[in-house]
Amino acid sequence: DNDTILNNGILDIDAVSTLQTGASTVVSIFGHAGTSAIVSASPQATGIDGGAGDDLIENLDTLDADVTATAVLTSGSAFTFAGAASDQAEVTASPTVTGIAGGAGLDTIRNEGSVTVSSTATLNVNSNSNVAFGVASAGAKTNATATTVGVDGGDGNDTVDNLGTIGATATASTMSSQSSYAFGGDPSTTAVVNAGSDATGIATGAGDDWVRIDTAGLIDVDANATLTSTGGAKATFDFGTVESSATVGTTVVALGVATGGGNDTLINLGMLDVDLDSTTTSKNNSNAGIIFGDSSATATATSAGDGEGVNAGDGDNTIYNEGKISIVLDDRTGSATSFAQSVTNGGDVTLDG
């Protein structure tokens, strides 16, 4: 339908998803002892949604929308006297929030007030396994992704006019710890951990769009991601290989205005403020004990950031800037630290990190 929506009051929206698993323990004397957990938190929220059709949406006052996803695996443990012990965890948190969504159609969106939206993804994973004689393994696959859009025109020939303030913040934080121990045997830990945040002030999809930021208009975009991963595998007596590996990475994307495909026109008379912050740390160690065994430790950490005041996409675009565009990378942005330590007595040592 062709909707007309006017907000002349205060819209305050909060969406929270919290998932937590407590300690779980499996014990086996002979055979296999294993624990596994799959945890996912994916809340979504939209302040004003025009849906399909040619909509007119005006915000004259305050729209505040916050979405938080928290997933915690406090601990999982598996023990076997003789056999195999394993603990595996798959945890995701992916909150998504949009302040004003026009949807498909020829939409007109005008903001004279304040649109402030934020998404926060938090993961905390701790897994471990132990074996007296045999194979012990602990692994984690975690992904925290926060997505925030202040105003989204959607597909169609849209008009977006900002005379007020649009603030979009996306924050992702991940902590992951894995450990395995074998008195006599082959322990191993494996981790694949990611944290990403994507924040956009104004977005329009396919179509010939017109976007203006007035002299009093402000678009403030922040994308933050922090990741810490720790892994360790240790054997007292080992005749095989003690392995500990981790592949971790953070990605932050912050866009002031992204207009997508089409012949677009952007006029900036105000302020576009874009900030990025990301850090990645990976620490891994392996210890093959006192008998002839091999040890291997691998730690790979990456950190990437993309900050743009304007991304006009494909098409014959016109960009006019008489205001200010600021892009700030925190001193830590793109910081990736990896540390690998491997110890053996009489066997081979492999390090990569």
Side-chain angles (χ1 to χ4, degrees):
D1 295 333
N2 300 329
D3 303 313
T4 298
I5 302 173
L6 171 64
N7 176 45
N8 199 21
I10 298 176
L11 290 177
D12 191 359
I13 301 166
D14 291 292
V16 178
S17 177
T18 302
L19 298 175
Q20 182 169 351
T21 63
S24 60
T25 303
V26 176
V27 179
S28 174
I29 302 302
F30 296 97
H32 178 269
T35 63
S36 64
I38 299 177
V39 179
S40 178
S42 303
Q44 299 181 6
T46 301
I48 298 174
D49 190 351
D54 302 338
D55 307 312
L56 171 61
I57 302 174
E58 292 186 87
N59 177 52
L60 303 180
D61 203 324
T62 303
L63 190 159
D64 191 349
D66 301 297
V67 176
T68 302
T70 302
V72 179
L73 179 61
T74 55
S75 66
S77 63
F79 171 80
T80 184
F81 179 76
S86 67
D87 181 73
Q88 305 294 324
E90 294 185 17
V91 186
T92 61
S94 53
T96 301
V97 62
T98 302
I100 299 175
L106 308 180
D107 304 313
T108 298
I109 301 174
R110 182 179 176 90
N111 175 50
E112 295 186 26
S114 173
V115 176
T116 305
V117 289
S118 68
S119 63
T120 304
T122 303
L123 293 182
N124 193 337
V125 179
N126 184 351
S127 61
N128 64 83
S129 63
N130 300 278
V131 64
F133 299 97
V135 177
S137 64
K141 295 181 180 179
T142 67
N143 185 21
T145 304
T147 304
T148 301
V149 180
V151 173
D152 188 354
D155 291 338
N157 300 334
D158 302 315
T159 297
V160 180
D161 198 4
N162 179 45
L163 292 79
T165 299
I166 298 175
T169 302
T171 303
S173 175
T174 299
M175 295 186 65
S176 178
S177 176
Q178 307 80 38
S179 66
S180 64
Y181 170 75
F183 179 77
D186 302 327
S188 65
T189 62
T190 304
V192 179
V193 186
N194 296 287
S197 60
D198 191 330
T200 303
I202 295 177
T204 60
D208 300 335
D209 305 309
W210 185 89
V211 179
R212 184 178 79 110
I213 296 93
D214 189 68
T215 53
L218 168 65
I219 296 180
D220 188 5
V221 179
D222 294 277
N224 313 284
T226 304
L227 186 154
T228 301
S229 175
T230 304
K234 182 179 180 179
T236 301
F237 299 95
D238 174 58
F239 294 93
T241 301
V242 178
E243 296 179 298
S244 182
S245 67
T247 302
V248 304
T250 57
T251 303
V252 291
V253 178
L255 306 176
V257 178
T259 56
N263 301 326
D264 305 314
T265 299
L266 170 68
I267 301 171
N268 178 41
L269 305 176
M271 176 69 179
L272 297 178
D273 189 0
V274 176
D275 297 282
L276 300 89
D277 182 8
S278 68
T279 58
T280 307
T281 304
S282 177
K283 298 180 180 179
N284 255 18
N285 65 81
S286 63
N287 191 323
I290 62 176
I291 302 297
F292 300 97
D294 303 330
S295 65
S296 173
T298 303
T300 303
T302 60
S303 183
D306 179 16
E308 301 178 46
V310 176
N311 186 329
D314 296 332
D316 297 329
N317 305 301
T318 300
I319 300 174
Y320 176 77
N321 179 49
E322 197 175 282
K324 184 178 179 180
I325 299 176
S326 172
I327 301 175
V328 178
L329 277 68
D330 186 271
D331 291 341
R332 302 178 304 169
T333 300
S335 172
T337 303
S338 61
F339 173 79
Q341 182 180 36
S342 185
V343 179
T344 187
N345 293 282
D348 296 327
V349 174
T350 302
L351 290 173
D352 187 7

